[in-house]
Amino acid sequence: MKSRVLLVDDEESFVDTLAERLRNRDFDVATALRGEEALEKIKEYNFDVAIIDALMPGLGGIETLKEVKRLKPLTEVIMLTGHATVETAIEGMKLGAYDYLMKPCEIDTLVEKIKKAYARKAEHEENIEKAKMQVQVIEVGKLASMGELAAGVAHEVNNPVAIMMEEAGWIEDLLEEESQKGENLDEIKRALKQIKAQGERCKQITHKLLSFARKTHSQLSDLQLNELIEEVVGLSQRTARYSNVRIETELDSNIPPITASPSEVQQVLLNLINNAIDAVGKDGGKIKVSTRMDNDDVVIDVSDTGCGIPESHIQRIFDPFFTTKPVGHGTGLGLSICYGIVDRMGGKIAVRSSVEKGTTFSVRLPIQPNDKEINDIQR
Amino acid sequence: MIKKETDQIECIKLLLVDDEEGYINVLSKRLARRNICVTSALKVSDAIHILRDNDFNVAILDLKMEDMDGIEALKIFKRLCPPIEVIMLTGHGSEQAARDGLSLGAFAYLTKPCDLDDLLNKIRQAARRKGGGTGG
């Protein structure tokens, strides 16, 4: 691709000649005779390199440079100066110009500088892209490996838990045969019951963990999202009323049916609504569940007027076992499970939150499952 | 690796295959008390040897065994002894494997850890389906 160069100088003949010579050397050149004109063009097109005369009437070279850097930080700027304005050129460097050249300059020198500036811009862009990619890869990879770890732990824990519960049952079996004496008998029975109850709790946890990590799928079907939402909201109304929370829906009637597993989508919605009810707390408030189309995706927003999520927590809310609820009241797996389900459906889940004002979770689902989903099903 | 817990004639003859020794030990005892005649095996290969020489009504098979994939084991069981009813034990999340098992002729599956009463019900249903005879 040709480098796109903007040439800014108030001397028309100089600009025209230079532009022609640069075009001959295979650059894509636009020109401007004034700073203001240059900024119009900068706003409209993406230039790789801008060559700006330091001394111009109206908007001067330095001001033009500042504006260019503000509007398009990635565009590299080369300042052109006369002998008298070297100081200006230095100031330009401080403000982010890539280099400066003294007029009259050799065309080859200028070409050399433009190429270097272009290379620097390209490298810059690449780094930014890489940085972006890296963040995403780490996030997804981290959750994936957490899922694997969680599944591994759950499987390993299941067996000892099963044995413990059976041994407790075995003691119960044996106690039935014992003669009904001994003051400790009731206490032993109580303790056994407790062991069983706690074993049951372990079982619930490992099951939740495994459903966060699981690879299998429930049956896919054509799903009328709005109907499902009304259903789930209906289910949650009781809990909501108890907490003095009003749940409203605002459903876009134009949403097409999506291909998804009803039980999985229901699980996501229930988790989000229950979290919202908890966030609102006993003081009452409002939850709104809405649907809308965005390009080819369906978006479900669950917003609450609750306590919000502090910035220090927001990065961790999708991590397995992260919870702010008191010990014993939440496993910290709800959002991990939601994340897992939505990710497997080829969708995205995002959160916006403001402390004391409320939180909105947005679940974006494709109308048709993407390739990832289909591959998973075939596996 | 072979343990006979009871020798009652009328009892359901059950082959219990699981690689968790602690689990089969306690489960064998509890089932034995409930008139089920349990033979246990810690490995699929042991279970196959036992199955060749003995008649069973029902087998309980953990799908996650170290020496052989549970589905492979199920196929061999059904080939060696077609009338045997197999109850699979799975971890949660391996429902797909369990469904594959059902289509290969397994009687039912339960997720581990399972409730003893649920397991007993399944064992009795399986034994009834087979009509109490051995036939193999």
Side-chain angles (χ1 to χ4, degrees):
Chain A
M1 206 176 76
K2 285 183 182 181
S3 317
R4 290 151 301 180
V5 178
L6 177 65
L7 194 53
V8 192
D9 196 304
D10 57 329
E11 278 176 63
E12 196 169 352
S13 58
F14 172 77
V15 167
D16 287 346
T17 320
L18 192 53
E20 207 44 50
R21 297 184 77 187
L22 288 175
R23 284 188 192 111
N24 285 339
R25 285 164 175 80
D26 219 25
F27 289 101
D28 195 351
V29 186
T31 60
L33 293 174
R34 303 176 71 85
E36 293 85 346
E37 187 191 349
L39 294 181
E40 290 307 313
K41 291 193 169 165
I42 283 278
K43 276 180 206 163
E44 206 165 332
Y45 305 103
N46 281 316
F47 292 100
D48 299 310
V49 182
I51 299 162
I52 301 174
D53 186 17
L55 204 63
M56 290 188 293
L59 196 65
I62 290 293
E63 279 70 33
T64 309
L65 164 71
K66 275 190 200 164
E67 277 301 294
V68 168
K69 278 291 175 187
R70 193 180 62 83
L71 291 167
K72 298 282 166 77
L74 283 175
T75 300
E76 295 292 352
V77 177
I78 297 169
M79 300 294 286
L80 283 183
T81 67
H83 279 290
T85 50
V86 172
E87 291 307 312
T88 319
I90 303 294
E91 197 191 335
M93 297 286 286
K94 284 186 199 158
L95 289 167
Y98 171 66
D99 205 347
Y100 69 95
L101 279 175
M102 275 202 263
K103 279 207 276 191
C105 58
E106 282 288 317
I107 182 77
D108 290 338
T109 318
L110 180 62
V111 166
E112 192 70 16
K113 294 275 185 218
I114 295 174
K115 282 182 175 163
K116 277 187 180 163
Y118 176 71
R120 189 170 108 139
K121 184 189 178 241
E123 194 185 328
H124 236 112
E125 282 173 333
E126 205 176 302
N127 283 343
I128 288 172
E129 205 49 44
K130 247 191 234 163
K132 256 194 223 161
M133 292 275 288
Q134 221 155 25
V135 168
Q136 283 165 357
V137 166
I138 289 168
E139 282 300 306
V140 173
K142 194 176 86 182
L143 276 170
S145 59
M146 281 223 205
E148 281 159 28
L149 177 71
V153 169
H155 272 297
E156 289 309 313
V157 167
N158 260 348
N159 277 323
V161 169
I163 296 171
M164 275 156 40
M165 286 175 73
E166 287 310 321
E167 292 286 1
W170 177 234
I171 297 174
E172 274 183 344
D173 289 351
L174 295 175
L175 278 180
E176 277 169 24
E177 270 178 16
E178 290 296 306
S179 51
Q180 302 296 308
K181 62 178 182 198
E183 57 204 77
N184 292 334
L185 198 63
D186 284 346
E187 189 54 23
I188 292 171
K189 281 184 178 163
R190 188 207 57 81
L192 280 172
K193 226 169 144 185
Q194 179 71 341
I195 293 172
K196 283 192 150 180
Q198 297 306 317
E200 194 58 40
R201 195 169 138 200
C202 291
K203 192 169 122 180
Q204 298 299 334
I205 294 172
T206 55
H207 281 193
K208 278 188 192 164
L209 263 179
L210 283 162
S211 67
F212 160 59
R214 95 190 133 158
K215 299 280 194 289
T216 53
H217 286 261
S218 334
Q219 207 59 44
L220 298 182
S221 61
D222 277 350
L223 180 65
Q224 300 287 348
L225 204 51
N226 288 345
E227 286 175 21
L228 184 83
I229 289 173
E230 292 289 5
E231 220 172 89
V232 174
V233 167
L235 280 174
S236 307
Q237 286 292 9
R238 239 174 83 104
T239 334
R241 265 202 302 278
Y242 181 70
S243 301
N244 204 13
V245 177
R246 217 167 57 248
I247 308 182
E248 291 175 358
T249 52
E250 191 180 295
L251 306 176
D252 180 348
S253 53
N254 296 319
I255 322 191
I258 63 168
T259 307
S261 146
S263 62
E264 288 192 334
V265 177
Q266 181 177 350
Q267 197 180 359
V268 171
L269 284 168
L270 270 176
N271 267 320
L272 293 181
I273 292 174
N274 285 338
N275 279 352
I277 293 174
D278 285 340
V280 172
K282 287 271 182 283
D283 299 334
K286 202 175 77 175
I287 295 171
K288 193 166 91 179
V289 185
S290 52
T291 51
R292 58 189 161 95
M293 287 300 294
D294 187 49
N295 294 325
D296 287 337
D297 296 331
V298 179
V299 181
I300 311 166
D301 292 308
V302 179
S303 347
D304 65 63
T305 58
C307 56
I309 305 166
E311 213 178 316
S312 55
H313 289 167
I314 211 150
Q315 295 294 330
R316 302 176 56 200
I317 54 171
F318 293 107
D319 290 354
F321 295 120
F322 178 76
T323 180
T324 54
K325 292 175 187 167
V327 174
H329 284 82
T331 53
L333 291 171
L335 284 176
S336 312
I337 291 170
C338 291
Y339 174 90
I341 291 173
V342 172
D343 186 55
R344 276 196 306 275
M345 291 172 75
K348 285 196 164 65
I349 183 162
V351 58
R352 282 192 311 277
S353 186
S354 166
V355 171
E356 300 297 329
K357 287 192 180 140
T359 304
T360 301
F361 279 91
S362 300
V363 178
R364 173 182 292 269
L365 298 175
I367 294 167
Q368 289 293 324
N370 66 2
D371 292 341
K372 186 178 175 186
E373 168 94 353
I374 288 160
N375 287 340
D376 273 0
I377 293 166
Q378 285 167 348
R379 206 175 288 148
Chain B
M1 296 298 164
I2 307 172
K3 284 191 195 117
K4 290 255 175 175
E5 294 295 335
T6 58
D7 270 320
Q8 282 168 276
I9 296 158
E10 292 296 319
C11 69
I12 296 171
K13 278 176 277 187
L14 179 95
L15 178 62
L16 175 59
V17 190
D18 194 311
D19 52 8
E20 280 283 331
E21 194 167 6
Y23 188 67
I24 56 175
N25 285 347
V26 65
L27 196 59
S28 301
K29 285 186 214 163
R30 297 196 75 195
L31 291 173
R33 272 179 77 90
R34 289 161 175 82
N35 207 27
I36 292 170
C37 185
V38 184
T39 305
S40 56
L42 278 166
K43 287 182 182 169
V44 175
S45 47
D46 294 340
I48 291 168
H49 287 305
I50 297 167
L51 202 57
R52 286 163 68 102
D53 302 328
N54 299 279
D55 287 330
F56 291 97
N57 310 100
V58 183
I60 295 176
L61 173 64
D62 189 344
L63 282 191
K64 239 185 128 177
M65 296 287 291
E66 264 168 33
D67 65 330
M68 198 186 290
D69 176 63
I71 292 294
E72 279 310 303
L74 172 70
K75 285 184 193 164
I76 294 171
F77 280 22
K78 291 301 267 188
R79 200 161 61 228
L80 275 179
C81 178
I84 197 169
E85 297 293 356
V86 180
I87 298 168
M88 299 171 290
L89 292 184
T90 69
H92 186 81
S94 34
E95 282 87 353
Q96 189 55 51
R99 278 196 289 271
D100 292 347
L102 290 182
S103 64
L104 287 167
F107 177 73
Y109 72 90
L110 288 169
T111 52
K112 220 174 161 183
C114 57
D115 186 59
L116 186 71
D117 289 334
D118 292 344
L119 184 61
L120 269 175
N121 282 337
K122 286 279 187 282
I123 292 171
R124 288 184 179 134
Q125 283 168 18
R128 267 203 300 280
R129 177 153 124 175
K130 197 166 167 282
T134 49

